[in-house]
């Protein structure tokens, strides 16, 4: 949730003035306007035809209606067709301080389900009566304006629809008790209460006057008062706000921007007092936040969350004025002035009551020093790999009714959320545009990268989304020059639907993330094996050899290599990355026409032309467009593109398969028993009943295997150019990093020589209060669109997914600092993720399972790396050793860092730097955990902790090929009971709080199954235990087991020696041996320095010298698990040379 930037308040020019110096209530200037009442109208915007689902409740979506100024006759704030009941329940009498109006009446009002109290004196009610009389009289005066004529006509029509007494009641005000309050004796006060109560009840029954802005202000209500999902009706009322108070120094004198009013604290406050102005605002308080509205346009201009830094103070010594109070939280400071001292006391009392009551869980100190409390009995689900995660996010987006909030490190608008990518129904930008057209408000927060250092092109993503519909708002943050932040990033990956369903984890909605448990190396229809045996072999480009070794290719392949654009001909569309104009002229280059491709499925075009320059830009902030230049090069380019297109058709004909199988992986699936379905028309929709629950895989060990069989069945029978990865989504970023992202359908690598890099990742979904905590977690200074929902009525949340959900205790934790969270104090930060990791590892009883992109954590004495994850693991293992207890630590991480470049060459400096810190944390140097354990007397640390990676193999153009599986997970599982999942890596960047901003959830099981731990019965959590068993089965290659008896490995007991040594470690070692023997892949223990590395690369691997023997050996590979080679480049200094660009950068960039 976001607080709101207040820049606009500086430009206000309306000043509220009280009726008299002793007034307890401000009076706004009267606007002689009204339209009568139309109780079917929504608050804020007068939509006469809008129908509410529940006529007794104002829906949450009305807060996004176009705001109207407070004095607009179209502004309606009350629940349609609901009366307002008035009861004066008490009074306070003071004849000394208020001689003319001694009685302060406590008025209780009831409107639908809402009840609230206001305190008014007789003069306030009298003033309301006088203003309404003036308003009523003005409708009979024919002012010579069109607007007034329309109001009078509407009023006459309204009266004409009534007759008799009803007409009289509509045209006259109720009788008002005119006897001055000072003349009412004490014994007649009760009678006066009844008179005023009757007057107010009768007045509020007349629709003509009830919605008048004077009546609305008197009742202290606004368009947010009766929105049920915003919570109870809290205190509201007019105040004066000092300009620049929301961010200290903002509104004071800064000499036309030359100074920031921060030369010293004294100067800042002096400038604020002298140059600051007081602006008219409407303050409101809700369950967990407060804010204010600008009356002149009705827009919400600020939201202040109740948090750990919330304070309210007043008085001469604090604010130098008697009727002024100062409200402060961690990221905001608000100075307001009240009309009287009584009003000031009322506001202070209300704010303190809320802070110590309904908002106590946010203002008190929580576990791990988190901003959010631990939520009991939440519903949660897990998703392994992008296939299930993105499909679930797509379905949740499709179910959105009110708003969608996305915060992402990188977002690719053209990403397909469901595969195969046939048609654009499930493309992300299409989904968001479709929901925006339905009225759903969509808010996207993107990390604004340093363009010279990174190529994720958030500007293109912003323009692509913001231009598609006005309901999509996109913000990039931070402003590097202003904030002085160049090295750190917003690293969260969050999707929140209607503030009720929240997805998070390590999976960005961008290229390269979609994958399933098969972790394919080639795409459907990418290559064909028909001509493979007849063409000379070409060394493939992989992470082990990013540059490959280009032998002489077959002459027929030259046209294919000339263009790396994905042909969309079979999809019914043309490549949108060709900028030349279409022409019917023939070229001089004659290309033989290949036979037409046989298409067995009907497919829609995957995307329209998405060239950025052709998008409408009226809804987005854009740079000045470049004028189109037309010259002779246009025709040259068109001729070249036509030649490329002909060449690709020729190559596809050469490679056309005769058996409908477009890859070896599909062949393997058919041979394993999957029958090819008849060709069908496919629209990209997986049947709803098959999305998440695999009917062919019955529950094993109490867990439900996921829906991968539906994907497997959906791709069978597809031929031609059907794709799982379109354009730049087919990537191997160690071979080549991303570029030209504004050309989404242009391939990044050559699919004929480069296997894609599989991606392993994990995400979770939480519901209810935890989801609302997640949206609150991302409050950024300039993001003014979101209002937090109340935490009431969260018991009956309708399911939107078919994936099984479990009951867990959930707490949201984060890494946040001043630059990323807008804190007022520069030393304020949160490192709740770090504290949670350390605490949970320290208290682990049986095992710790870690999947993470990095493992950079040294001893507590280190000055280079400060996080304490490694120290906590060391102490816990040492304690287990002293107690002679069985304790295991599993660490799974990438075999190589995800940076473009070749190991051992200058292009691999960044890769070398991360490799250095990873190995320094594991096994090199005195601060490495394995070396420390040996020094502590543990002869074989592998008995307690071991490190692994993931690798797979396949066939590309008939050649065996291997590639590492990039582990991008940010996961911790402990004792089949506790899970931490989020966006944080194990390094200082993610954990210290003051660098990258991160988000995670700590989940503890509330439901349990019968399990086993070290041979003894054990209660295994349904959430944590099922996730851990699923991951073990995926890594060991046994996910396709039809029942527990069919599984060759029992993964229920993760720490017993028969599993840990004889299954887990043995399979990893055997897989490692086979891959290295067949492929000579990197990293490898054989390459201890750059010299041996070069020799290893020069050797001809078995995959090239003897394919038959290689395939025979590869048949012995079980799953994807391999050992992390601890001897890799141990004799080399991998830190960057000081004279290189990488060496110039600070060490904190890598750690």
């Amino acid at each position: 949730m976001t607080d709101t930037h207040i820049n606009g308040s500086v430009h206000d020019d309306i000043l509220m003035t009280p009726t008299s110096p002793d007034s307890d209530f401000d009076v706004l200037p009267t606007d002689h306007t009204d339209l009568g009442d139309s109780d079917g109208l929504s608050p804020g915007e007068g939509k006469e035809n809008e129908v509410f689902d529940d006529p007794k409740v104002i829906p949450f979506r009305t807060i996004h209606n176009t705001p109207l100024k407070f004095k607009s006759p179209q502004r309606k704030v009350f629940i349609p067709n609901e009366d307002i009941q008035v009861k004066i329940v008490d009074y306070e009498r003071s004849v000394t301080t208020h001689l003319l109006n001694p009685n302060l009446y406590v008025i209780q009002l009831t409107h639908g389900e809402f009840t609230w109290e206001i305190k008014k004196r007789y003069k306030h009610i009298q003033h309301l009566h006088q203003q309404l009389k003036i308003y009523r009289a003005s409708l009979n005066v024919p002012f010579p304006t069109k607007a007034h004529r329309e109001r009078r006509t509407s009023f006459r029509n309204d009266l004409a629809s009534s007759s008799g007494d009803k007409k009289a009641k509509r045209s006259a005000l109720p009788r008002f008790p005119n006897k001055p309050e000072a003349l009412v004796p004490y014994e007649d006060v009760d009678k006066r209460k009844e008179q005023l109560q009757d007057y107010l009840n009768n007045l509020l029954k007349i629709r003509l006057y009830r919605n008048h802005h004077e009546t609305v202000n008197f009742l202290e209500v606004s368009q947010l008062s009766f929105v049920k999902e915003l919570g109870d009706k809290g205190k509201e009322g007019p105040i004066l706000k000092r300009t620049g108070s929301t961010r200290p120094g903002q509104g004071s004198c800064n000499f036309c921007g030359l100074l920031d009013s921060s030369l010293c604290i004294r100067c800042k406050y002096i400038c604020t007092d002298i140059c600051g102005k007081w602006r008219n605002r409407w303050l409101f308080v809700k369950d967990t936040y407060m804010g204010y509205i600008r009356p002149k346009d009705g827009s919400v201009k600020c939201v202040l969350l109740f948090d750990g830094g919330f304070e309210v103070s007043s008085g001469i010594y604090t604010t130098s004025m008697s009727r002024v109070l100062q409200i402060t939280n961690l990221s905001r400071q608000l100075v307001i002035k009240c009309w009287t001292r009584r009003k000031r006391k009322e506001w202070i009392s209300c704010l303190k009551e809320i802070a110590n009551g309904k908002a106590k869980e946010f203002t008190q100190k929580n576990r791990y020093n988190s901003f959010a409390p631990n939520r009991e009995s939440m519903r949660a689900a897990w998703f392994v790999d992008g296939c299930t995660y993105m499909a679930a996010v797509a379905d949740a987006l499709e179910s959105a009714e009110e708003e969608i909030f996305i915060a992402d490190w990188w977002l690719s608008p053209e990403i397909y959320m469901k595969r195969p990518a046939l048609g654009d129904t499930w493309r992300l930008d299409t989904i968001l545009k479709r929901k925006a057209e339905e009225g759903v408000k969509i808010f996207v927060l993107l990390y604004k990268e340093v363009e010279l250092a990174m190529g994720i092109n958030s500007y293109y993503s912003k323009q692509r989304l913001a231009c598609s519909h006005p309901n999509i708002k996109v913000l990039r943050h931070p402003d590097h020059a202003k904030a002085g932040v160049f090295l750190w990033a917003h690293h969260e990956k969050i999707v929140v639907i209607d503030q009720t369903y929240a997805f998070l984890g390590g999976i960005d909605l961008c290229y390269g993330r979609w994958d399933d448990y098969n972790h394919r190396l080639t795409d459907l229809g990418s290559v064909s094996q028909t001509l493979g045996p007849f063409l000379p072999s070409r060394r493939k480009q992989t992470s082990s050899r990013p540059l490959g070794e280009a032998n002489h290719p077959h002459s027929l392949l030259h046209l294919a290599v000339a263009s790396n654009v994905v042909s969309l001909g079979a999809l019914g569309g043309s490549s949108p990355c060709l900028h030349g104009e279409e022409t019917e002229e023939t070229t001089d280059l004659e290309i033989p026409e290949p036979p037409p491709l046989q298409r067995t499925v009907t497919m829609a075009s995957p995307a329209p032309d998405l060239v950025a320059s052709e998008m409408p830009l009226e809804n987005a902030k854009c740079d000045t467009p470049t004028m189109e230049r037309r010259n002779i090069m246009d025709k040259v380019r068109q001729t070249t593109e036509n030649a490329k297109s002909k060449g690709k058709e020729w190559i596809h004909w050469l490679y056309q398969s005769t058996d409908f199988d477009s890859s070896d992986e599909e062949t393997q699936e058919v041979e394993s028993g999957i029958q090819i379905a008849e060709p069908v028309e496919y629209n990209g929709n997986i049947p709803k009943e098959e999305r998440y629950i695999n009917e062919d895989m019955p529950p094993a060990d109490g867990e439900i295997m996921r829906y991968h069989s539906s994907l497997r069945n959906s791709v069978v029978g597809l031929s031609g150019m059907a794709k799982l990865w379109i354009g730049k989504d087919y990537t191997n970023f160690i071979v080549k990093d991303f570029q030209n992202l504004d050309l989404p359908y242009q391939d990044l690598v050559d699919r004929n020589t480069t296997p894609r890099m599989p991606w392993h990742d994990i995400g979770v979904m939480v519901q209810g209060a935890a989801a609302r905590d997640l949206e609150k977690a991302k409050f950024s200074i300039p993001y003014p669109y979101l209002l937090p929902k109340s935490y009431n009525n969260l018991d009956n949340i309708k399911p939107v997914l078919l994936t099984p959900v479990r009951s867990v205790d959930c707490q949201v934790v984060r890494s946040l600092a001043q630059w990323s969270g807008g804190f007022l104090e520069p030393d304020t930060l949160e490192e709740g993720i770090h504290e949670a990791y350390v605490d949970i590892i320290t208290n682990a009883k049986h095992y710790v399972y870690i999947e993470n992109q990095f493992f950079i954590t040294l001893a507590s004495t280190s000055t280079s790396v400060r996080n304490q994850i490694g120290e906590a693991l060391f102490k816990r293992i040492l304690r287990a050793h002293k107690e002679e207890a069985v304790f295991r630590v599993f660490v799974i991480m990438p075999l190589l860092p995800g940076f473009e470049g070749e190991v051992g060459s200058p292009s691999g400096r960044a890769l070398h730097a991360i490799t250095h810190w990873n190995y320094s944390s594991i096994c090199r140097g005195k601060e490495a955990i394995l070396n420390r354990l040996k020094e502590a007397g543990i002869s074989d640390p592998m008995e307690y902790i071991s490190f692994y990676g993931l690798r797979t193999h396949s066939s590309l153009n008939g050649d065996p090929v291997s590639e590492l599986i990039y582990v991008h997970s940010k996961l911790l599982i402990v004792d089949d009971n506790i899970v931490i999942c989020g966006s944080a890596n194990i390094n200082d960047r993610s954990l210290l709080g003051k660098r990258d901003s991160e988000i995670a959830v700590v989940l503890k099981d509330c439901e349990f199954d019968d399990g086993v731990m070290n041979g003894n019965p054990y209660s295994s959590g349904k959430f944590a235990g099922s996730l851990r068993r699923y991951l073990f089965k995926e890594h060991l290659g046994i996910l396709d087991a039809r029942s527990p008896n069919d599984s060759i490995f029992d993964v229920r007991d993760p720490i017993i020696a028969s599993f840990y040594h004889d299954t887990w470690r043995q399979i990893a070692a055997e897989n490692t041996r086979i891959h290295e023997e067949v492929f000579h892949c990197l990293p490898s223990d054989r390459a201890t320095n750059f010299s041996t590395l070069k020799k290893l690369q020069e050797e001809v691997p078995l995959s090239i010298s003897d394919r038959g023997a290689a395939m025979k050996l590869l048949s012995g590979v079980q799953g994807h698990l391999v050992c992390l080679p601890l001897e890799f480049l141990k004799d080399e200094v991998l830190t960057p040379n000081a004279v290189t660009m990488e060496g110039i950068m600070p060490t904190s960039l890598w750690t």
Side-chain angles (χ1 to χ4, degrees), residues 265-322:
I265 299 298
R266 181 178 302 173
C267 292
K268 178 180 68 177
Y269 281 105
I270 291 176
C271 291
T272 299
D273 291 338
I274 295 176
C275 302
K277 298 181 180 179
W278 295 95
R279 301 301 191 191
N280 172 11
R281 295 292 181 266
W282 183 269
L283 194 66
F284 64 91
V285 181
K286 291 294 183 179
D287 295 349
T288 60
Y289 65 97
M290 60 177 296
Y292 60 77
I293 304 171
R294 186 164 59 186
K296 76 173 186 178
D297 58 12
S299 59
V300 177
K301 298 303 297 180
C302 183
V303 172
L304 284 86
L305 303 178
F306 287 96
D307 56 27
F310 183 83
E311 293 181 358
V312 56
S313 56
S314 66
I316 296 294
Y317 295 102
T318 303
T319 62
S320 72
M321 287 176 278
S322 61

Side-chain angles (χ1 to χ4, degrees), residues 91 93 103 179-192:
Y91 71 94
R93 186 175 179 86
N103 299 321
K179 185 176 182 179
E181 188 81 351
L183 300 180
V184 177
Y186 177 77
E187 57 272 14
D188 291 341
V189 172
D190 290 338
K191 184 177 179 180
R192 172 54 69 95

Side-chain angles (χ1 to χ4, degrees), residues 1049 1056-1067:
F1049 308 121
I1056 194 170
S1058 59
F1059 173 80
Y1060 180 70
H1061 292 294
D1062 301 339
T1063 299
W1064 184 265
R1065 293 185 64 190
Q1066 182 176 333
I1067 287 177

